[in-house]
Amino acid sequence: MAEVRENERLKYHLQAVLKSERRFENVNQAVTRMVLADGVDKVSIAGRTTYDFRFFRKGPKHIIGWLDEINDFVNFTKDAAEGGPSKEMAFVLVGEPGNGKTFFVDYICDRYKRFTSLPENRRYTFEFANLDQLGGYGGIRFAQSQTFEDPVILAMNLFESVDENKEYLLKFGFGEQRIEQLFGNYRPLGACTEHIWNEIFVHYDGDVEKALGSVKIVPAKIGNKKSGVLTGKYSAKDKITSSAEDILGDEDLKRMLDIEDAAHPYRYNVRRGVIARVAGGGILFLDEFFRIKKDLVQVFLQVIQDRIIELRGFCWYPDMLIIGTSNSDSYKDFVAEKSESPIKDRSRVCYVSHCTDYKLQQLLTRYSLGVEKKSTVIGEEMHEDPNLNYALSVAVTLTRLPHSDQLTPVETMKLEAGEIAGDKSVKTLTEIKGTLNASTDVTKRWGQRGVGHRGLGRFINIMLAMPETHEGKCLFAYDCFKAAEREVIDFGYDPADREKFMKDIAIARKLYRERIKTGIYNAFRDDPEAVRKDVMIYVNMIIGFDSDALGPDKIWRPKDPQTGEEKPLKIDEKYINSVESRLGLNTKETRDSFRTSIRRIYGQKATIDPDYDFMDNERLIKAVTEVRLESDFAGAGSLIGALSNPTNEENARLRNRMIDTMFKMGYCRTCAQKTIEYWCEKEDEE
């Protein structure tokens, strides 16, 4: 007879729970506690206040963006933890392929496994030992709870009477309030554990202490990703290979041979099904939920609504968080079938858009590009153009932004990223979003169409397959637009989407050209920060232009927002007027209006972000650059002429000096030369 050690007994476990050394909580309480433990930040996005949860921003590969979706998820689990309607629902993410739905679920599951592996968060279950003493179990000597039930659940079901169970807990020092709190998570024992416990109880003539001598408390399994224990995944399968057995389990031939009682529920192995393996406070991931076979959807409906595994009339009671994902088109087709509305009613649907903030997209693009150095086919190290991430990010982001009569694509992109878009207000963008999100067709909502994360990965794959990439040992940024066009043509997008995407890629090329102009100018000035400095000189000049502190010497002493130090600056009206002429501001009224807007923006931004430098105002950057080039080299045309004719010794020296400066800016010789050549050809010029 196997001896159950003292620290494996139910009494020991209950004492540990009483002392808060071990926990008894449902999965929603655990997940909510896990998320909130890292803290919450209040943030303002596009003029709207929301919350950002630090839990989702941890680790080298964390969730990017997803503010609304994360808030929906946290409030869902919090409501379920507090006994709200969410406890009888599934949380389902609906959106286009490649927008991060599966990554989000995997992130939560991975973190949850780490969380529950900590001693203070460890989950426990129980098993019955010495079954050979009872008879009727053949070679089966012990049986663990098939749904990883918590030992406290057993303590709440030791006797038929609820009052007796409460009295039993009182003996351990649990107060009435704490007992009521425990019973807030009450569940009956599963069919097989109840049956076996009753047999043991009768075997010991109702002596609960002797009966508990055959109960062993053990840590619940935390399986690896493939085992599906604690966190499990069920993917939609074809009609031939999918069956309810995958979900609920089925009869076990070996157990049938061992157990004499034909009506014994332990003859059924519910752990064959995905639900039982996560039923002890785990997370069930339903991949492509709305593509699951219709008859199996009905099985999940009962599981979601009633939290019951029902098999041949026997019932088990799981505790689990159910998260599903679905393609937008699949969800649209599913909703069209009115007969399937009950499962929709039991789902908290969260509509997930693609990332539409090109700055955040640059972080996602970094994931796609990877942190490991790439190499050519012959094993030589490959360089990455410093403009590559920007070019890729802008290209994919523009495909996700709807075209509108109220805003140009570039204005939409800037406002969505929190940047200045001329005189256009973020209120206009909010109105556009509101109109789109009111559509009953999910596929027409904000950010629901566009090239996804997988499409971005294919851009990079196409670039890596280009011979010139390996020949030059560099991923040259401009090549990403060729790859993007190839992907859009080949992948099979809808004709209307394909036409829009090609226009978006053309706009992205123009933005790329504007960006490299800055790099070329910095290289010409032999200063990687030249443009930024010149832009801020103009800004500080117009701030000081009307200042009472400006003396007759026209010297203005602005304070550096970062250091607080004063930096003397002579106001140059000729320079100010030249920049504003380039901006098309030819009247006193238009100039005064523009200067007022610059002062207002500076006043708003400087207090929040001391590093703000107006480098998101491309019109201003272009004007400042053109004025400086006109002053220093008789204009951009002359510089292009010099760089295009390296046979001249002076021109060759200029070109080589610029390339040397570009090395400091992160370029290699290949992408530096190709960037200069592209700029000289005047392609994609506005």
Side-chain angles (χ1 to χ4, degrees):
M1 180 175 178
E3 186 69 28
V4 177
R5 291 178 292 183
E6 191 62 32
N7 64 350
E8 295 173 336
R9 291 181 179 272
L10 180 62
K11 286 183 177 182
Y12 183 90
H13 180 80
L14 292 175
Q15 289 289 350
V17 172
L18 182 63
K19 296 174 186 175
S20 298
E21 294 172 358
R22 295 181 183 179
R23 289 184 177 271
F24 172 62
E25 60 188 352
N26 64 46
V27 61
N28 290 294
Q29 291 168 334
V31 170
T32 303
R33 184 167 61 85
M34 172 182 73
V35 172
L36 297 181
D38 288 312
V40 186
D41 297 313
K42 188 182 288 188
V43 295
S44 180
I45 303 296
R48 182 173 60 91
T49 300
T50 187
Y51 296 95
D52 192 18
F53 298 87
R54 296 174 197 161
F55 166 82
F56 294 96
R57 314 304 181 192
K58 294 169 64 177
K61 200 166 184 179
H62 56 261
I63 307 296
I64 303 294
W66 275 61
L67 280 170
D68 290 338
E69 295 85 352
I70 287 171
N71 273 269
D72 282 354
F73 174 75
V74 174
N75 282 287
F76 174 86
T77 59
K78 188 173 182 295
D79 177 65
E82 294 168 352
S86 300
K87 69 178 183 178
E88 297 175 355
M89 301 177 77
F91 187 81
V92 183
L93 301 162
V94 174
E96 283 248 294
N99 66 0
K101 298 183 297 297
T102 300
F103 180 79
F104 177 76
V105 181
D106 285 343
Y107 181 91
I108 292 170
C109 290
D110 178 62
R111 295 282 166 176
Y112 187 61
K113 282 197 170 186
R114 296 189 203 179
F115 180 76
T116 51
S117 68
L118 298 174
E120 63 270 24
N121 300 319
R122 172 76 70 177
R123 288 191 168 270
Y124 290 84
T125 188
F126 57 90
E127 58 188 38
F128 299 110
N130 307 315
L131 294 184
D132 52 329
Q133 303 295 315
L134 299 180
Y137 283 88
I140 300 174
R141 300 185 61 187
F142 71 93
Q144 192 176 91
S145 167
Q146 294 201 83
T147 53
F148 300 103
E149 294 160 295
D150 194 281
V152 178
I153 294 294
L154 174 62
M156 291 191 284
N157 288 278
L158 291 175
F159 308 97
E160 290 186 3
S161 167
V162 174
D163 290 337
E164 285 185 272
N165 292 317
K166 289 183 177 180
E167 285 176 15
Y168 183 79
L169 290 170
L170 276 169
K171 294 177 183 178
F172 289 91
F174 288 95
E176 291 185 5
Q177 187 176 351
R178 183 74 185 278
I179 290 173
E180 291 305 317
Q181 185 183 19
L182 295 176
F183 270 82
N185 283 326
Y186 172 80
R187 298 192 309 277
L189 287 174
C192 52
T193 47
E194 181 184 42
H195 192 105
I196 297 171
W197 169 247
N198 287 337
E199 284 190 335
I200 294 173
F201 195 70
V202 170
H203 179 75
Y204 287 102
D205 298 321
D207 187 328
V208 69
E209 298 307 328
K210 288 184 179 179
L212 286 173
S214 296
V215 176
K216 182 179 180 180
I217 309 303
V218 295
K221 288 183 179 179
I222 302 177
N224 56 36
K225 192 171 183 178
K226 294 182 179 179
S227 69
V229 176
L230 191 65
T231 62
K233 180 178 179 179
Y234 182 85
S235 301
K237 303 170 186 175
D238 61 53
K239 294 182 179 180
I240 298 173
T241 59
S242 58
S243 70
E245 181 182 334
D246 300 330
I247 303 169
L248 303 174
D250 206 350
E251 292 177 318
D252 186 294
L253 180 59
K254 185 178 183 307
R255 292 183 187 177
M256 291 171 67
L257 294 173
D258 279 318
I259 298 174
E260 299 172 1
D261 184 357
H264 200 304
Y266 197 65
R267 288 161 66 98
Y268 295 92
N269 186 351
V270 292
R271 284 196 190 173
R272 281 184 177 175
V274 66
I275 297 174
R277 297 195 294 272
V278 300
I283 300 174
L284 176 60
F285 172 23
L286 301 178
D287 193 21
E288 287 300 337
F289 184 33
F290 295 109
R291 282 187 177 172
I292 295 172
K293 272 175 58 178
K294 299 296 168 61
D295 55 334
L296 299 186
V297 165
Q298 298 306 315
V299 174
F300 278 116
L301 176 61
Q302 182 180 29
V303 173
I304 293 169
Q305 180 171 326
D306 301 325
R307 289 301 195 267
I308 291 177
I309 302 172
E310 188 173 347
L311 189 59
R312 307 292 195 275
F314 296 114
C315 294
W316 290 261
Y317 303 90
D319 168 35
M320 60 185 175
L321 169 62
I322 301 175
I323 308 176
T325 60
S326 175
N327 183 305
S328 298
D329 291 324
S330 300
Y331 177 72
K332 180 181 173 183
D333 294 341
F334 185 89
V335 171
E337 299 182 33
K338 303 294 184 184
S339 60
E340 301 301 331
S341 59
I343 193 69
K344 178 177 176 288
D345 291 340
R346 285 295 163 191
S347 301
R348 168 62 174 90
V349 177
C350 175
Y351 300 107
V352 182
S353 69
H354 286 296
C355 178
T356 51
D357 181 331
Y358 84 95
K359 290 182 176 178
L360 291 178
Q361 179 57 47
Q362 290 183 65
L363 301 176
L364 291 169
T365 301
R366 186 72 265 158
Y367 287 171
S368 290
L369 288 168
V371 294
E372 298 294 328
K373 286 284 186 182
K374 292 179 173 55
S375 60
T376 66
V377 289
I378 58 174
E380 295 179 298
E381 188 174 293
M382 190 179 291
H383 179 258
E384 184 182 301
D385 188 325
N387 297 303
L388 177 62
N389 190 316
Y390 171 84
L392 285 167
S393 300
V394 168
V396 293
T397 301
L398 283 169
T399 67
R400 301 163 183 173
L401 299 174
H403 289 182
S404 165
D405 295 333
Q406 298 161 277
L407 295 171
T408 66
V410 175
E411 288 170 341
T412 303
M413 185 184 82
K414 285 181 169 296
L415 290 172
E416 179 67 0
E419 295 181 345
I420 305 301
D423 58 352
K424 297 299 172 66
S425 167
V426 72
K427 184 179 177 182
T428 307
L429 178 64
T430 303
E431 290 171 357
I432 292 170
K433 285 185 177 182
T435 302
L436 291 171
N437 289 336
S439 173
T440 54
D441 185 347
V442 177
T443 62
K444 289 182 169 58
R445 296 187 179 184
W446 175 265
Q448 287 287 338
R449 286 295 190 197
V451 176
H453 200 66
R454 295 185 194 123
L456 172 63
R458 289 191 290 271
F459 287 6
I460 298 168
N461 288 337
I462 292 170
M463 289 183 70
L464 288 169
M466 293 177 177
E468 55 265 39
T469 298
H470 295 269
E471 186 67 24
K473 295 182 284 187
C474 178
L475 282 162
F476 176 46
Y478 186 74
D479 288 341
C480 82
F481 302 115
K482 302 175 190 176
E485 289 173 346
R486 184 77 270 150
E487 155 71 8
V488 169
I489 292 169
D490 290 350
F491 191 66
Y493 293 101
D494 291 339
D497 286 341
R498 186 163 57 245
E499 183 181 356
K500 175 189 178 296
F501 295 170
M502 294 298 275
K503 291 178 181 177
D504 294 329
I505 293 167
I507 295 170
R509 284 204 306 270
K510 290 180 171 61
L511 290 173
Y512 164 74
R513 182 171 183 84
E514 291 302 317
R515 183 180 178 87
I516 66 161
K517 277 184 182 179
T518 300
I520 293 290
Y521 177 60
N522 286 341
F524 168 68
R525 290 280 301 277
D526 197 18
D527 181 359
E529 294 288 316
V531 171
R532 178 183 173 279
K533 291 175 182 176
D534 288 344
V535 167
M536 290 310 297
I537 285 172
Y538 167 80
V539 170
N540 282 314
M541 280 184 181
I542 64 168
I543 289 172
F545 189 78
D546 295 324
S547 173
D548 295 336
L550 189 66
D553 58 357
K554 298 293 184 180
I555 300 295
W556 166 241
R557 291 177 172 79
K559 284 188 177 181
D560 188 317
Q562 297 176 26
T563 63
E565 296 178 3
E566 290 187 354
K567 293 185 176 181
L569 175 67
K570 185 174 179 61
I571 304 294
D572 184 349
E573 288 188 53
K574 184 179 178 182
Y575 174 65
I576 293 173
N577 292 334
S578 297
V579 171
E580 290 169 352
S581 294
R582 294 279 182 175
L583 288 165
L585 308 173
N586 298 313
T587 66
K588 185 178 185 304
E589 291 75 13
T590 56
R591 289 181 176 182
D592 286 346
S593 176
F594 181 75
R595 292 176 188 181
T596 300
S597 69
I598 291 292
R599 293 183 189 116
R600 185 184 69 251
I601 292 166
Y602 183 80
Q604 292 171 346
K605 296 279 190 178
T607 55
I608 301 170
D609 180 12
D611 294 324
Y612 182 67
D613 53 13
F614 285 86
M615 292 304 285
D616 56 350
N617 192 325
E618 290 179 5
R619 286 183 64 231
L620 180 58
I621 292 171
K622 182 179 180 183
V624 167
T625 304
E626 288 174 352
V627 168
R628 284 299 191 188
L629 279 173
E630 192 67 41
S631 170
D632 296 347
F633 209 85
S638 298
L639 180 58
I640 288 173
L643 293 174
S644 300
N645 181 25
T647 54
N648 178 293
E649 186 177 341
E650 185 177 343
N651 292 348
R653 279 200 302 271
L654 171 64
R655 187 182 180 110
N656 290 334
R657 179 180 64 75
M658 286 179 62
I659 289 175
D660 287 342
T661 304
M662 291 174 81
F663 288 163
K664 302 173 189 175
M665 296 158 61
Y667 291 82
C668 70
R669 184 164 295 279
T670 297
C671 59
Q673 289 179 339
K674 285 186 175 183
T675 300
I676 291 173
E677 288 165 8
Y678 166 69
W679 184 68
C680 289
E681 290 169 4
K682 292 190 175 183
E683 285 187 44
D684 307 309
E685 190 75 57
E686 285 283 4

